[in-house]
Amino acid sequence: MKLPEMRQMLSDRGIQLTKSLGQNFLHEEKVIQKIAAAGELTRADKVLEIGPGLGPLTEVLLAQAGEVLAIEMDARLVEILKRRFCSESHLQAASGPAEAGTPNLHLIHADALKYLESDSHDWRGWKLVANLPYSVASPILVELALTEHGPERMVVTLQREVAERLRAKANDEDYGLLTLLVQLNYEPKALFKISAGCFFPQPNVDSACLTLVRRRHRLLTPAQTKVFVRVVKQAFSQRRKMMAKLLRADWPEEVLRRAMSELGLSPQIRAEAVALEQFVQLTELMVETR
Ligand code: SAM
């Protein structure tokens, strides 16, 4: 979808874009193809797209994957997507006003975050490929990353700063809560930058596309994961404070002292210097001693 076509579509319908919904649409064909290529799609794949907008990426996903589930919050864009991708006959056969689609597109008009939180979805066999709405990108990724059966691959276009946080390591400036909540189940892979000129309108932040691949073997069980989330949230609640002091609010001092000493972690260490694997081991020890 080229920029003039995009502008025309919007002006024909008198649509003023909504900044708070992060409506910056991709019009650079090469970049759209590169994002889809990172999905390594085959006809056997089911793809979740969050925020299809006017559908420039949707079009490519539909050509390469077997099934696309697209969730868009803006009713005006849902109408455009229906016209672009859904035949009249199928629209009539669709189950309700909120959902429509072609044989391989299911279009849902909803707030994606609420949709994901509302039920425990099983995303095994699915891939997320999306140019995410930047304001809700982090909670959406955390929700998908921590769900018991998350997508096998997530290819996401994001604010560059958020992408850097997602692939950070201990002691990096960007390392923190978001890094750990996502990396527990996903390994960050390739990242490429996307210049502001590839979007309409141009965002005033830098963007990047990051691939995350679900770990083959879980590092923690679902029950342990709940404790891990509590530990890392508490440990990063005040970045400059010693981790042991922060964790004492939730765990007995003796349990903490023993676990940290077993892992060779200094009592003075701050959370930003503790690696994912160490948080995982700490969680296992804390669960054992409960
Ligand atoms: N994928 C399109 C593209 O690349 O041109 C549009 C991407 S644009 C960055 C983000 C899209 O997400 C917009 O269409 C916006 O309306 C939609 N959106 C914003 N918040 C949303 C939410 N909570 N749930 C679903 N869609 C949302």
Side-chain angles (χ1 to χ4, degrees):
M1 185 182 247
K2 301 238 171 3
L3 181 55
E5 195 188 339
M6 217 170 238
R7 284 183 193 274
Q8 192 66 48
M9 234 179 219
L10 294 169
S11 81
D12 283 352
R13 292 165 180 81
I15 293 179
Q16 301 282 335
L17 294 178
T18 310
K19 214 173 169 195
S20 61
L21 289 181
Q23 293 179 336
N24 302 94
F25 301 134
L26 269 170
H27 58 79
E28 187 57 55
E29 192 58 33
K30 273 195 200 133
V31 173
I32 295 168
Q33 291 292 349
K34 201 169 167 185
I35 294 170
E40 298 185 355
L41 300 172
T42 70
R43 279 286 177 203
D45 283 320
K46 293 183 276 189
V47 178
L48 170 64
E49 186 189 8
I50 292 176
L54 294 169
L57 181 58
T58 320
E59 192 176 4
V60 178
L61 298 176
L62 283 170
Q64 297 183 6
E67 189 180 330
V68 177
L69 172 67
I71 310 174
E72 172 56 60
M73 190 167 164
D74 188 329
R76 303 167 305 171
L77 302 179
V78 171
E79 278 314 305
I80 293 181
L81 290 162
K82 278 185 191 173
R83 279 180 207 287
R84 275 198 76 189
F85 299 114
C86 310
S87 69
E88 282 304 313
S89 59
H90 194 86
L91 277 182
Q92 279 157 17
S95 55
E99 189 172 342
T102 62
N104 64 342
L105 171 68
H106 303 277
L107 183 58
I108 296 182
H109 174 209
D111 175 335
L113 187 57
K114 287 199 183 130
Y115 176 87
L116 295 174
E117 287 170 348
S118 67
D119 230 330
S120 65
H121 302 269
D122 187 339
W123 297 110
R124 275 175 293 187
W126 286 79
K127 293 176 176 176
L128 170 73
V129 182
N131 172 16
L132 291 173
Y134 289 3
S135 60
V136 281
S138 299
I140 283 175
L141 283 174
V142 169
E143 182 62 34
L144 284 169
L146 289 177
T147 194
E148 193 170 344
H149 301 300
E152 65 190 56
R153 192 179 190 86
M154 305 204 279
V155 177
V156 282
T157 300
L158 302 150
Q159 197 172 331
R160 168 113 181 267
E161 192 192 306
V162 177
E164 294 298 352
R165 279 196 241 155
L166 289 167
R167 65 170 192 163
K169 294 192 178 64
N171 291 309
D172 287 353
E173 201 187 320
D174 297 309
Y175 184 71
L177 184 59
L178 179 65
T179 317
L180 288 157
L181 295 181
V182 172
Q183 285 190 15
L184 176 67
N185 290 324
Y186 286 83
E187 277 184 278
K189 302 283 182 190
L191 174 141
F192 59 89
K193 296 176 209 164
I194 304 179
S195 74
C198 299
F199 299 88
F200 172 77
Q202 295 192 15
N204 48 16
V205 291
D206 292 331
S207 302
C209 177
L210 176 69
T211 298
L212 296 155
V213 176
R214 194 161 178 91
R215 294 182 192 279
R216 241 173 224 284
H217 303 289
R218 299 188 67 108
L219 300 179
L220 293 172
T221 64
Q224 289 171 326
T225 298
K226 288 200 176 105
V227 178
F228 173 89
V229 171
R230 267 183 63 200
V231 170
V232 294
K233 280 190 174 167
Q234 191 71 34
F236 279 93
S237 58
Q238 293 178 66
R239 214 180 158 86
R240 311 305 302 169
K241 271 205 171 174
M242 285 188 277
M243 182 172 85
K245 276 196 177 165
L246 295 167
L247 293 183
R248 255 187 252 150
D250 268 358
W251 282 274
E253 199 169 341
E254 182 50 26
V255 169
L256 271 171
R257 200 194 50 74
R258 237 183 302 134
M260 288 182 67
S261 126
E262 196 166 318
L263 297 176
L265 293 173
S266 149
Q268 276 84 40
I269 200 164
R270 290 184 187 142
E272 60 198 15
V274 180
L276 167 70
E277 296 69 25
Q278 293 173 311
F279 271 115
V280 166
Q281 290 168 327
L282 190 61
T283 303
E284 287 167 336
L285 290 173
M286 313 262 252
V287 171
E288 270 171 30
T289 50
R290 283 198 134 213

